[in-house]
Amino acid sequence: MKRIAVFCGASKGNDPIYTEQAYALGKYLAENKYELIYGAGSTGMMGAVANGVLDHDGIAIGIMPRFLGEREIAHENLTEYHVVETMHERKQMMSDMADAFVMLPGGAGSLEEFFEIYTWSQIGLHHKPIAALNIKQFFNPLSSMIEHLISTGFVSKDYKNLAIIKDDIQSMFDSMKVAQPVKLRDYQK
């Protein structure tokens, strides 16, 4: 793993621990020579993770659709800044550039990005590690939802550990480093 795509909110949430941990993740990425691939924003969780990288001499690569760039403030100090036309192009470019994916707390957009990558892994479009940093148990409901999808037969138990959900950065990366691709299921049976 060299490049880590991070999905997270442009908002900061209502507890400073969220942005503190986003910044800590950025610092960890820089100190461990990982490059950040993210949505290019300067505010909220996005700004915090990028600042953590940049303040520690790391590489931060941002990708923003033109129409969002007109409404949101793109980070001005990025190592690379790419402008695309659509949200789909942004997600595709992030996926193509990344070796692994991490989700931090965020809103519907972060969840949508996460589940698209999760689904792409299920159907074999990529075999890259997927993780969520469970800051202040933010992703406990996500973990419960995945368990529910499995218990009701809508997701195979083979995908139980497809998403690595950990409470701290180091154990999350330790798990990502040893993650194994999930065997594709034959849905014709």
Side-chain angles (χ1 to χ4, degrees):
M1 296 185 308
K2 181 180 178 187
R3 289 182 163 174
I4 310 297
V6 175
F7 304 133
C8 58
S11 297
K12 63 182 179 177
N14 60 10
D15 189 323
I17 191 71
Y18 297 128
T19 53
E20 289 166 11
Q21 285 297 294
Y23 185 90
L25 174 63
K27 178 182 178 189
Y28 179 91
L29 293 175
E31 289 176 345
N32 289 277
K33 307 298 183 214
Y34 293 112
E35 297 177 8
L36 169 66
I37 310 292
Y38 85 118
S42 63
T43 61
M45 299 293 284
M46 281 202 267
V49 71
N51 289 338
V53 168
L54 295 167
D55 289 351
H56 295 89
D57 300 318
I59 294 173
I61 301 165
I63 304 163
M64 186 173 285
R66 188 176 316 282
F67 76 95
L68 273 183
E70 294 166 2
R71 294 189 302 210
E72 293 181 6
I73 300 169
H75 204 293
E76 294 181 358
N77 299 315
L78 298 175
T79 312
E80 290 179 30
Y81 178 65
H82 300 273
V83 177
V84 296
E85 294 304 316
T86 67
M87 292 295 286
H88 182 74
E89 287 177 75
R90 175 201 238 177
K91 292 184 293 182
Q92 186 67 57
M93 189 173 196
M94 288 176 75
S95 175
D96 290 345
M97 292 178 82
D99 300 314
F101 306 92
V102 171
M103 180 171 55
L104 296 175
S110 301
L111 289 168
E112 184 271 334
E113 290 168 326
F114 168 83
F115 274 113
E116 184 165 57
I117 290 300
Y118 185 96
T119 302
W120 287 359
S121 182
Q122 282 183 301
I123 61 176
L125 295 180
H126 76 83
H127 301 291
K128 303 170 184 179
I130 305 166
L133 184 58
N134 198 21
I135 303 167
K136 200 176 175 186
Q137 291 78 52
F138 186 87
F139 291 115
N140 285 2
L142 174 66
S143 188
S144 295
M145 175 55 92
I146 291 171
E147 288 287 338
H148 179 69
L149 293 171
I150 292 168
S151 71
T152 55
F154 288 98
V155 170
S156 167
K157 66 181 183 338
D158 297 345
Y159 300 117
K160 179 175 174 36
N161 298 313
L162 183 58
I164 298 161
I165 301 175
K166 296 289 184 178
D167 295 340
D168 67 273
I169 295 166
Q170 188 60 59
S171 66
M172 181 179 72
F173 271 85
D174 290 346
S175 294
M176 290 169 66
K177 289 175 189 173
V178 298
Q180 295 293 315
V182 176
K183 183 178 179 248
L184 288 178
R185 293 187 44 80
D186 181 358
Y187 288 101
Q188 301 302 317
K189 292 180 182 177

